[in-house]
Amino acid sequence: MRVNTKDLMNSILESLSRLEYIHLDEIPGIDLYMDQVTTLMDNKLRATARYPKEDKILTKTMINNYAKNDLLPPPIKKKYTKEHVLVLIFIYYFKGILSIGDIQTLLQPITDKYFGKENGFRIQDVYEEVFRLEPEEIEVLKTDMLDKYEKSRDTFQQVPEEEREFLQQFSFICLLSYDVYIKKLLIEKMIDEMKENVTRAESKAVKKNSAQVKQDKKNNVTAKAERKERDK
């Protein structure tokens, strides 16, 4: 089996060089209807799809499901703001590696604190701060991929030449997959810790509320006793 891994690698690196995030000024400043949102996302992210001619970037059903699962704040009079679009972009990139539940855990604190803010630090600022790192990270990725590619070319030197190319490509995929696996594992561990922190905070709040209720009851009993004592 003959596979030209070098040509494939060059094609991937070329694609990475063309990859660029959606800038804030590319998103309309006016509120959009759902059809306009799906069209915008399709136009801007079509090139990132595995099968550009077939894959659905974003559908009405997806948007409704995101809102239903509290990933996306509800629209305002059936219209979506620039902030809604930014949340949808985050979801689009996360859904390839994370479950809906994990995305909710990750995004809910962001939308709770920064969505719909007119002053101060807003979700637009979160988006810009994160995505401005992309160009530098792409260069890091390209260097890392080239390093893994060179390592894969040193493997399976003992096998016949007609089999070597495929096995080296397999080795290259394994190196990339291991990297993805470790990073995904780290992300999941961090999200699990976030969930535990939320659970602990909620439990602490419940205990505090319960203690306050008990104290209020105790105060009421004491007040009633004092009133009875005064009425004698």
Side-chain angles (χ1 to χ4, degrees), residues 91-104:
I91 294 172
Y92 175 78
Y93 285 118
F94 285 141
K95 71 178 184 178
I97 56 171
L98 298 175
S99 68
I100 292 296
D102 283 345
I103 297 174
Q104 181 185 13

Side-chain angles (χ1 to χ4, degrees), residues 19-70:
L19 191 64
E20 193 171 2
Y21 74 96
I22 302 176
H23 294 263
L24 282 176
D25 58 11
E26 296 180 278
I27 303 172
I30 59 174
D31 296 347
L32 305 174
Y33 286 107
M34 189 180 288
D35 286 339
Q36 294 172 309
V37 173
T38 56
T39 299
L40 172 69
M41 294 286 284
D42 191 78
N43 290 339
K44 297 298 183 182
L45 296 172
R46 171 60 51 190
T48 66
R50 183 178 183 180
Y51 304 110
K53 294 182 180 180
E54 303 169 17
D55 289 349
K56 298 290 185 182
I57 301 299
L58 185 69
T59 65
K60 293 180 180 180
T61 301
M62 290 179 189
I63 294 177
N64 287 330
N65 284 339
Y66 297 154
K68 184 179 178 181
N69 287 282
D70 297 325

Side-chain angles (χ1 to χ4, degrees), residues 178-194:
Y178 182 68
D179 184 71
V180 172
Y181 169 75
I182 294 298
K183 289 175 180 177
K184 186 172 184 290
L185 189 64
L186 175 60
I187 292 169
E188 289 172 343
K189 292 288 186 184
M190 292 172 69
I191 291 175
D192 287 343
E193 182 64 25
M194 289 178 185

